[in-house]
Structure formats: structure tokens, C-alpha cells
């Protein structure tokens, strides 16, 4: 069939991947070297455990968080890996170009933490378009998004001098609105009434909890990894308590909003993390643990409300289909984080930051994300990039070889009728 | 139905969670600040990787270890998260109250390690009552148990001056006997012949191994995290070899006690960890690696024997239903750890500790746990706390929304007859 | 039946495990003590996070990587744990014997890193014979392989003075060729047309990705853990980029070699790791990031080609059945790593190493592995060691108690006919 042949990645994906890798190796050959100073190498040494925690968040955390879809586990964890592997190389270049010395990018532990950070934006955006895009589209999005991200980050951090240690604005809000704008351009009217594959299975929900928990656990490292040495401990403690408080309000709201009081895995997997997002911008400021808890508690509430009430509205009225609900996990809590930092600046928790610059950072991150995401979405909507038909969305078998038994089951003509009652027939 | 309505958590759980979070934020606002001394912050810095290992043990380790039940994975990993998120906040307060300066609790890395530790006691007790309690009951147990734990810990460590670095007595034995006492008060005669849901499935057993292995791997960090800097390496090495030796004896006994010589996942998931529990009290003493191995080997044997022979006896004669067998993993090996520390003191491995005080610590931990657990169990047996009916035990669907396919299968009237042969009917 | 009774491990396995543990405890009692010097303990302290990363690789990484088989998850993760628990104790002794002072082995953090390393060789070899051997055979292989490995390592590192920080030659190539030689001796003609259990299921493939990702993530720690302090950062950065580049070429080749362009989980689970293997010998040399990327890219290509074309040839012509394809993940990339180190020496990246000695190290590692593996395979083929019949290969239920439902399904006589269509009957 026409659709089937157009999703064949055999030439396109290898060609794009190999081409990009060659470009990257050449650029690294020309521009990239180790940090020459012994002193700076030693100073960075203590950051290595922080790096490893962030590294786990990127590959295990994001990867498994998205395995919640019942037939999309291979893609979630596999394409997540592909995006991140490309993104960290490209990110090292893009971020490095803003800080060259003698036309050379010098890499140390801090650089690879930042390279990992830059991939987080794409993985957040990936969540918005999950199940509706091809691996090739994702390679392209990775290149565009990280390039634009690096410019915005330079603006926010180096030009505005804004506080955003845990990157509520530059990574979370940016990644979410970039992905939502791209998703708007890739809108599929055929999926407006949902899709039978767009749900979880019992085990896929448990796999997703692996992702949730590693994100939750290592978030203190994410928010403190690039903080100034004297403030790292503050960032750790703030994030630790923000997440704990957020978890309590997320559980509470999840139960409160269901008529039988039952907890919803979507909320537990996602909204429990909103506190880590929201406390990001203020993480290294002396807001005291109770301040962090207030931010975290609020984030948990906002996030569950977003999943319950806002996502359906955004889908029908704004025509933005947000597979993983990144707006509720990264978008709204990212804005909350930005606002918290504006307030913190206004009440002079720290005299080095200005409310105006914090506000500019927030506006700029969202604005650039929306424009950049829309532009990227436009490019991704080119017809020859192999995106799946509506019917084949959220299904690994379009791009992956699937174990025989699983495939037999998926392709069965009776499947749709029978799959809710395979133990009932007798 | 009456039962169904009483397990509805819609008002109770959110009200309790939000109320507790408000109380905690207020107490943090009044009493808790960051450690002011720069020097002490820097000195703690090297403990952060130890903290992260312990953090993973609490949320991934305990959470996944309990996913072994075939229909209780959401609750195991989800309620584990809820307990720990509440517990670490409450623990920071309760432990902090014993060490205030100028009416203020000062938090550093060591405080959050201890806060995590305090949640471990509740998670151990949770294992004893797993599948038979509501999330609301668990919130209440968390508050009571951590409060009592903090008093006992103060007594053992600050008053008796006993050695218990890896907390064989204050966490493991305490958590086990607290949970067993609570379980005794919550005894369900209706479950004395077992329950069809009280077993594992193939994948649930593999999920549980994720928990087992992360506990096993990071136990050296658990046992050394709060050791004096000079003895941390000793604690790491002792725990490393105690666990390795324990693993060999646990495998050996598991095979030996089954007539066809087959290994039992229950033993491998649990008894391989007993060495980490048992070496805890002596972890930082110079017992030499072979001493640690002797303790570990013994623990592996005792633990498997406990699972095989003691648990059924405890259930029928003492009327204590111990879902996860915490008596065999934490109770008996915890006592062994206490005894080992008494012997170590008696033979003067370290001249600073006294056999009498070690014995007092062990007795006191078990005694307070039993009384505290019974008292807490009495409160938990209040009728309006939403505990499940006997029939609904070990079933996520009482408190969680379950994916459609799974729920359809679970609710099928033919399920019981058919579930062993869903590929046979034709 | 005869076969069934001979696979009964009830006496053999416990006897062997307990005997080995007693021998080890006695040897530890006689020879092993903590490192006495306070200074060396403190100097090692910063290696603890590296140790923990390696530790996770050994137990979670290798263990879960092998869970890809649909009915062999218990054995993969469980026997992996057993091998590693025995191996690290034996490894500490065998490596220690080469570095005794006053007839005493002194243990510190570096020793337990090396002990973990030594188990990696056996776990690699385990991959070659996975599903076709008994736990007892694996205990024997562990003892033999680690003894021989320690001799080869002593030769390569201490005698030849070769560079092999990340152990491309001494661990990866050695473990692979040792396992392949053993597998040759254990050749099963009955499996030459495959086996119905020798495949994955949807969830088993996702479990395997947990193993893949933790190996991938912590490989920089593996390759830098025992590097000289000044070169650790170099090893981290080289490995980080080698793996990223390798991931892109592995995805590209996997898609290119399938006619519909679909990705193959076998390649993604394994070939993405080949870059970590291949960059090992050069990891701490100043080959610059682009050099590491070139090595990684090449390894990804070679590894996928090996899985696709070489494995079937090796199986039919050389009669070597390689369950996990360790030749493609550890063997070929290990050789590539050795060659890269010869080139690096030849072009004088580092003046302290010699091309001749690097070549000698590679040849010696492969040669000793082949001879040692063949010898060990000969011993393992003794008839009373309980290896499974051809029919029972790749099946947990030979050595493990399996949950009732799962076992019922496995034993069903209709299973084979029905298992592809359990949702079709109506």
C-alpha cells in the first residue's frame, strides 16, 4: 500500500543518521578538544556523580516515562535513545559555539552535563508528538530544536543574566511549548476522537513508573548540577522537598477528581514530577525548604488539574494533540517556576537577580519556543518524512520488527472486537 | 455495595494528604532552615552520592521489591512512593526535633539521608500489611511509626551509645516487628487459607528483581552513609562481601529445600538481601571481610528457612499474616545483626562499644516496635479508614483506575475458571 | 524421566555453592585484610561513585540485557546474580594473589572495582551459553574463567605493560572468545535449526532495554574507573562520545539491513554498546573526541553486520551457538579496540605504550581465552552437571519454580498450536 511504503525508513533513516554523524565528526575534528587545564579538570571532578544522575534521567527517565502506551514501548525507549545520542553530540557543538576560546570548544564534565541538558528539551517535545511521527522526523526535530534552544539559553543566561539553574524556563517551558507548537502544525483531524492504541496496559504502566521514579529521584541532581558550588546543597534540598510535597498534592488531587476516589496512573506518573520542574528556576536561591514545598505543592495541584481539564480543551479548541501531556508536566509547571523566580527576585531573596530579567527570560523562552516549534512543525509536515497514517499511530510495528507472537496478535482481524474479553469466550 | 462505598477514598485520602502537607509546611516554616555553616555544607558534600544510592533504594528498591504480587503492582510502587514522600518530610521533622539548636532544625545532606532512612522503617512495615490496607491507613501508619522510630533511635544512638551504623536493629528489626504487630491487630480470618491473588506472575517476578537488585547493589551505601568518615570504607567492604556470601547460601538453601531442587523466586528476591541487614550493626567495625562473610552466610540460611518453615507457623499460630515475609528479610536478620554486634562488643573488636548496651538496643528496638505497632494497628482497625474487604485484597482495582483490558479481564465472572487456560478454549 | 532427574539440582547445586563459600571464607580468613593505610583509604574515596556505576552494570546491566528471551528471564537475571556474587569473591582472591604484601591481600575500593570487573568476563561468556547450561555448570565456569582471566590480566598489564584501561582486550575479547570456545565444546546438533523458545516477547525486549541502557549510561565509569586520576576525565569523555556515535550508526545499519527498513531490537539492545567496548583500550589516551567517535561509529557498523551475517555462519560452519551474540558485542568490538590501541601506539598518541606490546596483549588475550574456554567447556560437558535436554533449553522451568498460571500455560499440550492466536478463537 501507499502508506506502508512511505513509512519505509530503509534509505531515509540510515542516510540521515550517517550524514549527520559524518557532519558531527568533522565539526568535532575541527573545533572540539579536551579542556587543556589540569586545574579545571580537577575542579570539575566532583560533578561526575551529578552528571551520571542526569544521564540516567535522560535515557532511563524520559525513555521509560513514555513507555506507558501499550504498543509503543520499543519506540518510546528506543527513539528516545536515538534522539538523545544525536542530541548530546549536537548540543555539545551548539552550546560550545557560544563559548569558544581561540576558535576551539573545550570539553569537560560541565560540558557533557550541558549536552545532556540540551537533549532534555527535545525529549520533552517528543512527548507531545509521541506516536505520530517517524524516527526520521525526530532526527530533524533534534537538530532544529537544539540549535534554537542554544540560542535562547545564551540569551537568557548570558545576556539577561537570569536565574534558571534548574531550567524551569529554558528547558521545561521551552521544550513543552516547542513541542506543542510542532504538534499544532502536525494536527491530525482523524485522531480527534482518540485512537484505540492511545492507552496503557497494566505492565506498560509499571514500566513507565521506572521512568517516573528515576526522574523523581535524580531531579535534585538535575537542579543542582550546574549551580555554583556554594549553592549546590541548597538546590538539592529545595528540590528534594518540593518533589515530596508535590507528590502528596498530586495523589490528593488525583483521588479527589475521580468520582470513586480512585488514583489515576497518568497523574502519578507525571504530576508527581511537577514540583521538580517548578522549583527549578529558584532551586539555588535561599527560599528555604518551606518555600520549596509551597512551590512543589502548587505544581502538583496545577499539573493534575491540567491533565484532567485542560488537555481535552487544548485538543479540541486549539487543535493541539499532546500525547504525554507535556503541557501539564513541563509547560504549566515551567511557567510557575518562572513566576516563582520573578517573585523571588521582587522580594529580594537574592539581590543579584532582577524581576524584570526573570520575566524577560520567561517570555523569551516561551516566545522563541512557539515560533521555533511552529517552524519546525512546518518542516516536519513535509510529505516524504515517513510519518505514519492515522491508523498506524501509537504502534511500534510500523518502524520496528516485533516478536512473532505479538505481531500475530496485533494483526489479527478479530483483535479489535475480542481484545477486551479474551478470557470470556468459552 | 457497602464495602465498595467504604473503600472510596475520594474525600478521606485527599483531606488527610492535604491536611498533613499543610501541617508539615507550617512546621517547616517555623522550625526548619538550611545549615548556616559553609564549612559543614562542604564537609557533607562527599555524602551526596551515598544519599542518592539510599534514595534509589527507598523508592525503586522497596517499591519494586513489592511488585511481585500479580495484581498489586500499581499499589506497591505507587503507595510506596506516597509513604516515602510523606515519611521523608515527617522524618526530617521528627529526627530534627532531637537535635535543634536555638529552636531551629538545620538541614544538610546528612539530614536528608536520615530522613530517607526513617521512611525505610515504614516501608518495611508496609510489606507486612501489603494488599490488606488502604492508602489512608498507610498515611496514618507513616506518621505514627516515624514518630515512634525517632524516639527509639534517639534512645539507642544518643542515650545508649550503641553501634548500629547500618541500622540492623533501629530500622530493620524495628520496622519488621512494628509491621508484624500491626498485622496481628489487623488479622483477617477470612484469608487464613490464602487468597487467589496472593501470588506472582512471570513478569511481576521480574519487576520485583529490579527492586531486589537495586537494594542489593546500594546496600553498601546504606550501611556506610552515616558512618564516621574513617570507617566508611570498612562499612562498604563489609557489606559488599556479606551480601555476596549471603547470595550463595540463599541460592543453596532455596534449591536444597525444594524436592526437585528448583529455585524459588521468593527466596532469591528476599533472602539474598538478608546479609545486608545482618551486617548492619557491625558494618563499621573491624570484623574483617571473612567476619562479614560469616554473618552474611548465616543470614542467607536463616532467611530461607524462615520463609519456608516459619512464615506458615507464624500465620497459623500467632495469627500474623506477613505478605512479603518481612520477618524473614528484616526481622530475623535484624536480630542476627544485633547479636553479632553484642558478640563483637564482647570480644572487643572495638573498645568503644559495650555488649550490654548493644543488648539493650536490640531489646529496646524490638520492644518499642511491638508495642508501637500494636497500638498503631489498633488505630488502623478503625472502621472508617477504607480497608478493603477480604475478597478485594491484593487487588489494585480497589484504589486505582486500571487499564480497560486489564479491568475487563479481572472482572470477568469466568476469570477464575479460565485464567489458567486462555489459550486452550476453542 | 532420565533427563528430568538429571537436571535436579537439589544436592549438587547446594553442595557446590556451600563448598565454594566455605573455601572462600577460609582463604579470606587466612589472606585478606582491609587496607591498613589511612592515606590510601582516603585517596580511594572518590572512586566509590565509579564503583557503584560498575556494580550496577554487572548486576542490572548484564542481568537484564539477557532477559530478552521470552521464557528465560528468571535465569538471566537470577543466575547472573549468582555468578557475579561468586565471581566477585573469587576475583578478589585471584587478583589479590598477584599483589600480596607480606602474604596478605589488602582490600580497598579499587580492589572491589577490580573484583567486579573480573566477574564481567564470566557474564560475557555466560551470554554465549545462555539457556543451554545448568546453574552448577556456571559456578564451575566462574571459578575456572576468573582464575585464567587473572593470569592473563597479570600478563597483559604487569608484564607487557599494555594500555587497556577499559579492558577491550582483557575483559571483552577475552570473555567473548572464552565463551565461544566453551560453547563450541558444548555444541548441540539438536538446536541447529533453532528452538521455539529462542526468541523474545514484547515485554522481555523492554526488560532487556533496562540492561542495555544501564550498561550504556555507566560505561564511561567502567572505562575510567581504574584510569590514572589525571586521565579519568579523558576516559569519561571519550567513552561518552564513542557510545553516542555508535548508537547512530547502529540504528542506521539496523534499518538499512531490513528490507522494510524496520529496526531490530537485537541490534538496538546490543550494537549500541559496541562503541563502549571498542574505545576501551584507548579510553585514557588523548585520541580527542572525534577519534573516539570514529572508533565508536565503526564499532556500531561492525556489530550490526556481525549479528546479521556472521552469527549464522559461525553457527553452521564453526558449530558455535552464541545465544546472545557476544561475538558481535564483545568479540569483534574488542578486537577493534585492540587494533585501535595498536594504531594509537604506532602514531605515538602516547609515548609510553608500544605497538608491539599492544599487539601481544591482544593476541595473548584471545589465545588464552580460546584455550582456557575450550578446556573449561570440556569439563562442563561432563554428564553429571545437570545441563538441560535440547527440548528444555531456554526455559526457566527446568531450574526454577514458575508461577502457577505461567506454568500451566507452558505445559499445555495445545500451547504450540495456539499461542499465536489466543485472541482469535471465538
Amino acid at each position: 500500500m501507499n502508506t506502508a511504503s512511505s513509512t519505509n525508513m530503509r534509505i531515509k533513516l540510515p542516510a540521515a543518521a550517517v550524514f549527520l554523524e559524518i557532519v558531527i565528526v568533522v565539526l568535532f575534528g575541527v573545533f572540539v578538544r579536551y579542556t587543556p587545564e589540569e586545574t579545571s579538570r580537577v575542579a570539575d571532578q566532583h560533578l561526575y556523580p551529578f552528571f551520571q544522575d542526569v544521564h540516567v534521567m535522560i535515557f532511563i527517565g524520559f525513555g521509560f516515562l513514555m513507555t506507558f502506551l501499550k504498543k509503543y514501548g520499543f519506540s518510546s525507549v528506543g527513539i528516545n535513545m536515538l534522539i538523545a545520542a544525536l542530541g548530546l553530540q549536537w548540543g555539545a557543538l551548539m552550546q560550545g559555539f557560544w563559548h569558544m576560546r581561540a576558535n576551539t570548544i573545550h570539553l569537560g564534565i560541565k560540558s557533557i552535563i550541558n549536552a545532556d541538558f540540551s537533549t532534555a528539551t527535545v525529549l520533552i517535545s517528543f512527548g507531545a508528538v509521541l506516536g505520530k511521527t517517524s524516527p526520521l522526523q525526530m532526527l530533524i526535530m533534534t537538530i532544529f530544536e537544539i540549535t534554537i534552544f542554544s540560542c535562547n539559553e545564551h540569551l537568557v543566561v548570558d545576556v539577561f543574566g537570569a536565574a534558571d539553574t534548574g531550567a524551569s524556563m529554558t528547558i521545561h517551558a521551552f521544550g513543552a511549548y516547542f513541542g506543542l507548537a510542532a504538534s499544532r502544525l502536525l494536527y491530525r483531524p482523524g485522531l480527534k476522537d482518540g485512537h484505540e492504541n492511545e492507552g496503557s496496559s497494566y505492565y506498560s504502566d509499571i514500566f513507565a513508573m521506572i521512568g517516573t521514579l528515576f526522574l523523581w529521584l535524580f531531579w535534585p541532581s538535575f537542579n543542582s548540577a550546574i549551580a555554583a558550588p556554594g549553592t549546590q546543597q541548597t538546590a538539592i534540598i529545595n528540590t528534594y522537598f518540593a518533589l515530596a510535597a508535590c507528590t502528596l498534592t498530586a495523589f490528593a488531587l488525583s483521588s479527589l477528581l475521580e468520582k470513586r476516589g480512585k488514583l489515576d496512573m497518568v497523574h502519578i506518573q507525571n504530576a508527581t514530577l511537577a514540583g521538580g520542574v517548578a522549583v527549578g528556576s529558584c532551586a539555588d536561591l535561599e527560599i528555604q525548604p518551606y518555600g520549596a514545598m509551597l512551590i512543589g505543592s502548587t505544581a502538583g495541584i496545577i499539573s493534575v488539574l491540567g491533565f484532567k481539564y485542560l488537555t481535552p480543551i487544548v485538543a479540541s479548541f486549539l487543535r493541539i494533540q499532546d500525547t504525554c501531556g507535556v503541557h501539564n508536566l513541563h509547560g504549566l509547571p515551567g511557567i510557575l517556576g518562572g513566576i516563582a523566580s520573578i517573585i523571588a527576585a521582587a522580594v529580594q531573596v537574592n539581590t543579584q537577580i532582577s524581576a524584570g530579567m526573570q520575566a524577560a527570560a520567561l517570555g523569551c523562552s516561551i516566545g522563541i519556543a512557539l515560533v521555533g516549534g511552529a517552524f519546525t512543525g512546518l518542516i516536519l509536515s513535509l510529505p516524504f518524512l515517513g510519518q505514519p497514517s492515522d491508523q498506524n499511530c501509537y504502534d511500534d510495528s510500523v518502524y520496528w520488527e516485533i516478536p512473532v507472537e505479538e505481531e500475530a496478535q496485533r494483526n489479527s482481524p478479530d483483535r479489535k472486537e475480542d481484545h477486551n474479553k479474551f478470557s470470556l469466550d468459552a
Side-chain angles (χ1 to χ4, degrees), chain A:
Chain A
M1 266 182 290
N2 194 24
T3 312
S5 79
S6 75
T7 60
N8 191 325
M9 292 280 113
R10 191 170 186 187
I11 305 304
K12 298 170 198 168
L13 180 64
V18 169
F19 170 75
L20 288 170
E21 190 57 47
I22 292 172
V23 169
I24 288 169
V25 171
V26 170
L27 291 172
F28 265 70
V30 176
F31 292 111
V32 180
R33 293 295 178 270
Y34 308 120
T35 298
E37 294 85 10
E38 189 72 23
T39 50
S40 125
R41 289 193 195 184
V42 172
D44 269 16
Q45 194 85 341
H46 82 281
L47 289 178
Y48 186 60
F50 291 81
F51 160 70
Q52 274 299 4
D53 292 351
V54 171
H55 212 34
V56 170
M57 292 174 76
I58 297 297
F59 286 82
I60 293 278
F62 282 105
F64 274 89
L65 183 60
M66 293 188 281
T67 59
F68 76 99
L69 288 171
K70 62 188 161 196
K71 295 185 176 178
Y72 211 62
F74 288 12
S75 303
S76 298
V77 78
I79 306 304
N80 184 86
M81 187 186 190
L82 177 63
I83 292 173
L86 171 61
L88 65 88
Q89 299 178 72
W90 192 249
L93 285 170
M94 290 301 112
Q95 296 176 315
F97 282 138
W98 290 108
H99 304 99
M100 291 211 285
R101 286 179 303 169
N103 285 324
T104 306
I105 297 170
H106 290 118
L107 293 184
I109 301 294
K110 212 161 204 166
S111 324
I112 62 178
I113 292 174
N114 277 314
D116 265 29
F117 276 175
S118 72
T119 72
T121 55
V122 193
L123 299 176
I124 292 166
S125 304
F126 181 39
V129 298
L130 190 75
K132 301 168 296 194
T133 46
S134 74
L136 177 59
Q137 288 177 299
M138 285 303 101
L139 293 185
I140 296 170
M141 189 164 95
T142 303
I143 297 297
F144 278 88
E145 182 161 359
I146 287 181
T147 308
I148 300 169
F149 157 79
S150 303
C151 298
N152 180 61
E153 189 193 43
H154 174 67
L155 202 60
V156 166
V157 176
D158 299 330
V159 178
F160 297 166
D164 197 32
T165 305
S168 306
M169 300 182 283
T170 47
I171 290 178
H172 295 288
F174 182 91
Y177 289 102
F178 191 102
L180 293 169
S183 187
R184 177 65 190 83
L185 269 285
L186 298 170
Y187 180 68
R188 290 168 178 265
L191 299 184
K192 75 173 192 293
D193 300 320
H195 189 294
E196 61 159 334
N197 292 344
E198 202 186 358
S200 63
S201 71
Y202 191 63
Y203 292 126
S204 74
D205 268 330
I206 298 180
F207 277 119
M209 283 302 292
I210 297 174
T212 298
L213 286 172
F214 276 109
L215 287 170
W216 200 95
L217 291 166
F218 291 155
W219 214 294
S221 301
F222 190 95
N223 281 356
S224 65
I226 57 165
T231 63
Q232 268 189 312
Q233 187 164 318
T234 304
I236 289 165
I237 290 178
N238 285 341
T239 309
Y240 178 79
F241 286 110
L243 283 163
C246 171
T247 300
L248 260 82
T249 58
F251 269 83
L253 264 278
S254 182
S255 173
L256 186 66
L257 299 185
E258 210 272 338
K259 68 176 189 298
R260 296 161 304 172
K262 294 191 182 187
L263 298 162
D264 187 331
M265 261 291 175
V266 171
H267 306 151
I268 306 311
Q269 285 158 7
N270 292 281
T272 53
L273 298 166
V277 174
V279 83
S281 296
C282 299
D284 58 345
L285 307 181
E286 302 245 332
I287 53 174
Q288 295 300 341
Y290 75 91
M293 287 163 148
L294 284 174
I295 294 172
S297 305
T298 310
I301 293 168
I302 286 176
S303 186
V304 175
L305 289 173
F307 274 102
K308 190 83 179 182
Y309 301 113
L310 201 57
T311 292
I313 293 174
V314 168
S316 11
F317 291 92
L318 299 183
R319 300 189 156 215
I320 298 172
Q321 291 154 335
D322 177 7
T323 310
C324 295
V326 300
H327 190 220
N328 313 304
L329 170 48
H330 301 279
L332 296 174
I335 292 179
L336 176 63
I339 294 173
S341 77
I342 295 170
I343 296 173
V347 302
Q348 300 223 303
V349 167
N350 181 315
T351 51
Q352 320 231 302
I353 59 172
S354 108
M357 284 306 168
Q358 293 302 118
L362 180 58
C364 162
S365 294
I366 294 175
I368 292 179
L370 286 172
V371 174
F375 172 72
T376 305
L378 195 67
I379 289 169
L380 297 187
S381 62
L382 291 173
F384 50 83
L385 299 179
Q387 64 182 359
S389 67
D390 286 355
Q391 195 194 335
N392 286 329
C393 280
Y394 316 111
D395 191 340
D396 279 334
S397 65
V398 183
Y399 304 113
W400 293 82
E401 296 200 67
I402 302 290
V404 179
E405 300 179 28
E406 183 74 18
E407 192 154 36
Q409 190 189 347
R410 289 190 183 189
N411 293 339
S412 153
D414 301 324
R415 208 186 116 263
K416 201 172 158 182
E417 294 77 65
D418 277 353
H419 76 303
N420 279 350
K421 54 186 176 78
F422 66 80
S423 66
L424 303 182
D425 42 27

